[in-house]
Structure formats: C-alpha cells, structure tokens
C-alpha cells in the first residue's frame, strides 16, 4: 500500500501540471477543474490498487482503461459525473506532463537505449506507420458507413 501512496504523489504532481497546462492553454481556472482532477485521481488510484491486488500481468494503464470504460457504462450511477468532469480537460493538458515524465524515465535508461541503437528507430517507424494506417482504415470505414464519403 505504501507503493500506491508513493505513486499517487507522482500522480498528484502530474495532475497539478495538467491543471497548469490547462490554465495556460485555455485560461480555465484550476479551481474550476477540481472535480476533473478528483475524477482522474480516483481512476488512477483504483487502477493502482487493481494492479497491486489482482493476479494479472496487465499494466496499470490497462486497468485504468478498463476502469474508465466500466465507470462510463450507461448503467452506472457515476457516469454523468465522470463524463462531465473529465470532459472539461483537453487532451494536450494531460499529455504534456505525461510526456515530460516519460522523457525523464527514458533519460534514466540511456545505456539500455544505446545498446538497442538503430533497432529502436526501426521499431518506432513500424509502430507509427501501423498506427497511422490502422487509424486511417478505421476512419475510412466509419466515414463510409455514415455516408460522409
């Protein structure tokens, strides 16, 4: 449980940074975003608890995704609260602190990255290209089904 609390301190820092980014990009006062920050914190906390106590090799991010989906199902009582509060947050506001933390964590593993050398670039190109074409195909099918194109 101590590890979960330590992780929640880092999550709190990320949420504060997301609020600051939201303020800089939109001018939205951080006090208006308190319910959004609480909703995000609850989902992250539940995912950390699930990772700790459920016997699975799923990453914490997968648990957060599953919990977010379950919370937003039409039959849940908290659906409206979570959708309205998290809907206030722009994607960029959350990405900036997350990418900063990712960069810091990768920076600590530079020796391992040097060992992989050019292979990392090839894997990145394959993954990025696959994601692009996969998203394009899904969008194409969706637009055709809707009759937009």
């Amino acid at each position: 449980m101590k590890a979960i609390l330590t992780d929640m301190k880092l999550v709190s820092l990320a949420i504060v940074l997301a609020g600051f980014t939201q303020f800089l990009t939109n001018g939205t006062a951080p006090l208006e975003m308190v319910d959004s920050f609480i909703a995000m914190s609850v989902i992250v906390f539940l995912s950390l608890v699930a990772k700790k106590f459920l016997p699975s090799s799923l990453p914490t991010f997968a648990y957060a995704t599953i919990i977010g989906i379950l919370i937003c199902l039409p039959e849940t009582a908290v659906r409206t609260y979570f959708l309205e509060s998290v809907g206030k947050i722009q994607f960029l506001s959350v990405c900036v602190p997350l990418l900063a933390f990712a960069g810091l964590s990768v920076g600590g593993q530079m020796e391992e990255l040097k060992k992989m050398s050019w292979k990392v670039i090839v894997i990145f190109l394959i993954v990025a290209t696959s994601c692009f074409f996969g998203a394009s195909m899904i969008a194409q099918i969706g637009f055709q089904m809707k009759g937009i194109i």
Side-chain angles (χ1 to χ4, degrees):
M1 194 67 167
K2 192 173 184 177
I4 293 173
L5 294 176
T6 302
D7 289 343
M8 283 305 294
K9 289 178 186 176
L10 291 173
V11 168
S12 299
L13 177 61
I15 288 174
V16 167
L17 290 173
F20 182 68
T21 308
Q22 182 80 14
F23 173 71
L24 290 178
T25 57
N26 282 354
T28 306
L31 290 177
E32 294 177 23
M33 305 297 294
V34 170
D35 57 340
S36 305
F37 301 149
I38 291 171
M40 287 191 305
S41 298
V42 166
I43 292 173
V44 171
F45 179 74
L46 291 174
S47 64
L48 289 170
V49 170
K51 173 69 176 168
K52 175 86 172 164
F53 294 111
L54 293 179
S56 174
S57 62
L58 287 175
T60 308
F61 182 78
Y63 284 116
T65 303
I66 292 168
I67 291 168
I69 290 169
L70 292 175
I71 285 174
C72 292
L73 289 174
E75 294 82 27
T76 58
V78 293
R79 176 181 192 258
T80 305
Y81 169 76
F82 274 89
L83 289 178
E84 287 177 0
S85 57
V86 176
K88 296 178 191 175
I89 303 167
Q90 287 190 344
F91 183 69
L92 176 66
S93 300
V94 178
C95 283
V96 169
L98 290 178
L99 290 174
F101 284 130
L104 290 173
S105 69
V106 168
Q109 302 170 352
M110 287 305 283
E111 292 304 316
E112 292 177 31
L113 285 174
K114 287 177 185 176
K115 290 177 187 174
M116 291 185 221
S117 67
W118 61 272
K119 298 172 196 166
V120 174
I121 296 171
V122 172
I123 290 171
F124 166 76
L125 290 173
I126 292 170
V127 169
T129 304
S130 300
C131 289
F132 174 77
F133 283 115
S136 298
M137 286 190 295
I138 291 170
Q140 181 74 23
I141 291 168
F143 286 149
Q144 284 180 341
M145 289 173 64
K146 290 281 191 180
I148 296 173
I149 52 174

